Amino acid sequence: MALRTLKKSLKGWCLTVKFYSLFRKELKEMLSLQTIITMIVTVVVLVMAGQAMSGAISDSAEKASDLTICDLDKTEFTENVLNSLKATAKAGDGKITVVDIKSDDYAAELKRLDQDSVVIIPKGFTEQVKQHKKADVGYVQRMISLATMSNINTGSDTALAVIQQAVKSTIYQDKLSSGAMTEDEMNQLEDPVELSETTVVGDKADKVSSSVVMSLCSAQSMVVPIIMFVLIMFSAQMILSAISTEKIDKTLETLLSAPVSRLSVLASKMLAAGVVAALQAVVYMFGMSKMTGGLTEGMGDTSAYESAMENLGLTMSIGQYVLVGIQMFVSILISLSLSMVLGALAKDAKSAQTMLLPITFSAMIPYLLAMVVDIRTLSPVIKYIVYAIPFTHTFMASENVMFGNYSFYAGGLIYQIVLLVVCMTVALKIFMSDKIFTMSIGGKQRTRKSFAFKKR
């Protein structure tokens, strides 16, 4: 009985040792130096992206209590309103800036004053208040980007609430000193101000709310980055898998020894990957347009805003679509050339899967940042690191052409073309030589093993 128990114990111990050995072997293969480096890079990249978004949110929060005001009425009542605003802002760590608007060209005036928004108290404001009418107040905001956080500073709702509170306080103090308030004056305190909004884009302005503009542009600002991301990822994955699989299966040697030039083989692979990626982009574009179209229809009749969008230059022309398409095409070529080099470095199926991570991160970082923040407003270090990623300029392309930032567009395109020439030169040198059969990450160790096997 004791002997049987001992045998069972020994058998269980042997099974445990074998399982531990297998587990250690698999863990050692999976947790390679390449995997560890990838995890470290992932953490660094995500931390940097988080800091960039956090900085943008902090800047927006700091400006939320700031207000720029132009008093065109210049009466004792409006002066009291401004004093009330300053007292409120000071209590909340805010800032009130009083400026002078010299013309109705709000685009030029905001540029001259170097302000993103301004509240305008028009002439006749005090007279409207005395007549117990809703007093008109203008709010002008400049849009510099379609990113979510770029237009959050002093929004129209905040401006309206602050002005209303200041007007209520001033009316109440004036009437309190003169005696009891009438019923009309009591009703006036409920809603004393009516806000008229104007949005400025570039050198154009129109009487439309910036929130409406953002809602109407959200579909377009979402579709282009998603399509670009899908194009980069699909094309990169296909060409990388094609090169690495054929190299691992030893079919690449047979293909390149055929009576066809290596340049033809390379061109056919890149063209095929580009065509399939384009088809995927068309499918995604159709699906996303239907989805965003449903969102737009849910907003109601938007035909009244179409002329305003055209006046602001936020409807892309055929020429602008061509410019965006050119930059997208260059990005795809960069992605394909990088994928060729990475595919040639793969030594097995496991390493081939991780080779796609550099391109994934290079596409994901600008994709997320461009949708949330205006990249041009980031800190210099983070901004230029993001600019160094070639795909960043493509994610910014549609916004650059709509807002008239053609210098940014041209600079990004020139940088992409230079980088494409470098990437294609490296890829061609590898593909046209025998290095494509021998180069790999961790290849030296494998070569020594194969040499030792032959020696035996």
Side-chain angles (χ1 to χ4, degrees):
M1 187 73 179
L3 183 61
R4 185 180 300 173
T5 304
L6 180 60
K7 286 183 178 179
K8 287 184 178 181
S9 300
L10 289 173
K11 185 177 180 181
W13 181 78
C14 291
L15 290 174
T16 304
V17 171
K18 289 179 180 178
F19 172 78
Y20 174 74
S21 299
L22 290 172
F23 171 74
R24 187 176 63 179
K25 170 183 172 294
E26 293 296 329
L27 184 62
K28 187 177 180 181
E29 290 181 359
M30 294 182 181
L31 198 62
S32 60
L33 179 61
Q34 183 179 348
T35 304
I36 295 174
I37 293 174
T38 300
M39 289 190 291
I40 294 174
V41 172
T42 302
V43 172
V44 172
V45 166
L46 293 179
V47 167
M48 289 179 62
Q51 288 179 347
M53 293 182 184
S54 175
I57 294 173
S58 299
D59 292 341
S60 299
E62 290 177 1
K63 295 178 181 178
S65 55
D66 296 345
L67 204 63
T68 302
I69 299 181
C70 172
D71 182 12
L72 297 178
D73 202 26
K74 297 187 184 299
T75 62
E76 183 181 353
F77 179 80
T78 56
E79 186 177 350
N80 292 333
V81 171
L82 291 178
N83 291 332
S84 177
L85 283 172
K86 291 177 181 178
T88 304
K90 187 176 181 180
D93 295 328
K95 180 181 178 183
I96 299 296
T97 304
V98 180
V99 298
D100 289 327
I101 299 292
K102 299 179 180 179
S103 70
D104 293 335
D105 188 356
Y106 295 132
E109 290 298 311
L110 287 179
K111 186 177 181 180
R112 178 181 64 83
L113 297 170
D114 193 23
Q115 296 291 335
D116 291 331
S117 63
V118 61
V119 176
I120 301 176
I121 301 177
K123 291 181 179 180
F125 179 85
T126 303
E127 189 65 26
Q128 287 180 317
V129 172
K130 289 181 178 180
Q131 294 176 4
H132 310 302
K133 297 179 180 179
K134 271 192 176 183
D136 295 326
V137 173
Y139 180 77
V140 183
Q141 181 171 2
R142 179 173 59 182
M143 288 185 62
I144 58 175
S145 171
L146 295 178
T148 306
M149 301 302 301
S150 64
N151 297 292
I152 300 179
N153 40 46
T154 307
S156 57
D157 293 337
T158 305
L160 178 61
V162 171
I163 291 291
Q164 279 190 336
Q165 185 60 38
V167 172
K168 286 180 182 179
S169 177
T170 305
I171 292 175
Y172 183 76
Q173 290 178 1
D174 289 349
K175 298 303 179 182
L176 190 64
S177 60
S178 62
M181 299 180 66
T182 65
E183 184 178 352
D184 290 338
E185 292 170 347
M186 291 291 292
N187 294 332
Q188 185 183 14
L189 286 178
E190 294 181 2
D191 193 13
V193 175
E194 184 173 1
L195 199 67
S196 175
E197 298 185 55
T198 300
T199 299
V200 174
V201 177
D203 58 350
K204 303 172 183 177
D206 204 300
K207 289 187 177 181
V208 62
S209 170
S210 59
S211 60
V212 173
V213 174
M214 284 291 295
S215 300
L216 294 174
C217 290
S218 62
Q220 187 171 345
S221 62
M222 285 173 56
V223 170
V224 174
I226 290 176
I227 292 172
M228 189 63 239
F229 185 77
V230 170
L231 273 171
I232 292 172
M233 295 310 302
F234 268 95
S235 58
Q237 186 176 23
M238 282 184 291
I239 197 70
L240 191 147
S241 299
I243 297 295
S244 60
T245 302
E246 290 184 350
K247 180 183 176 181
I248 295 168
D249 295 341
K250 305 299 181 183
T251 56
L252 187 61
E253 299 176 7
T254 305
L255 179 63
L256 296 181
S257 62
V260 181
S261 66
R262 293 190 177 188
L263 186 60
S264 299
V265 175
L266 173 63
S268 63
K269 288 181 177 294
M270 293 184 68
L271 182 60
V275 169
V276 176
L279 290 175
Q280 293 284 353
V282 171
V283 172
Y284 270 79
M285 184 184 297
F286 177 77
M288 289 298 298
S289 63
K290 290 296 182 183
M291 184 188 76
T292 52
L295 294 174
T296 305
E297 290 176 2
M299 295 173 59
D301 185 15
T302 59
S303 58
Y305 302 108
E306 290 179 0
S307 60
M309 298 294 288
E310 292 179 2
N311 293 336
L312 293 173
L314 294 179
T315 54
M316 291 179 63
S317 62
I318 296 177
Q320 290 175 327
Y321 275 113
V322 171
L323 291 177
V324 175
I326 291 173
Q327 208 156 31
M328 290 177 69
F329 179 69
V330 174
S331 292
I332 295 302
L333 293 180
I334 293 174
S335 174
L336 293 175
S337 58
L338 287 174
S339 301
M340 279 195 54
V341 177
L342 294 173
L345 290 172
K347 66 176 182 178
D348 51 36
K350 291 181 180 179
S351 63
Q353 294 175 358
T354 58
M355 287 296 175
L356 190 63
L357 290 176
I359 297 179
T360 302
F361 286 125
S362 298
M364 186 180 297
I365 294 171
Y367 167 64
L368 295 176
L369 289 178
M371 292 183 66
V372 178
V373 300
D374 183 6
I375 296 176
R376 291 168 297 176
T377 61
L378 297 176
S379 63
V381 175
I382 296 179
K383 177 172 65 175
Y384 290 116
I385 290 175
V386 177
Y387 278 162
I389 302 174
F391 307 127
T392 300
H393 306 282
T394 304
F395 286 118
M396 297 174 63
S398 59
E399 188 173 290
N400 283 335
V401 298
M402 278 196 297
F403 285 84
N405 301 322
Y406 289 103
S407 58
F408 283 96
Y409 172 86
L413 183 59
I414 292 171
Y415 170 71
Q416 285 182 314
I417 292 174
V418 172
L419 189 61
L420 173 61
V421 172
V422 174
C423 294
M424 287 298 296
T425 302
V426 174
L428 284 172
K429 284 187 176 180
I430 293 173
F431 209 84
M432 300 299 288
S433 67
D434 292 335
K435 288 183 179 180
I436 193 169
F437 303 117
T438 57
M439 65 183 296
S440 65
I441 295 179
K444 291 184 178 180
Q445 185 179 1
R446 186 181 65 179
T447 304
R448 283 197 293 266
K449 285 183 178 180
S450 61
F451 177 76
F453 177 79
K454 290 179 181 179
K455 191 175 180 180
R456 290 178 185 176

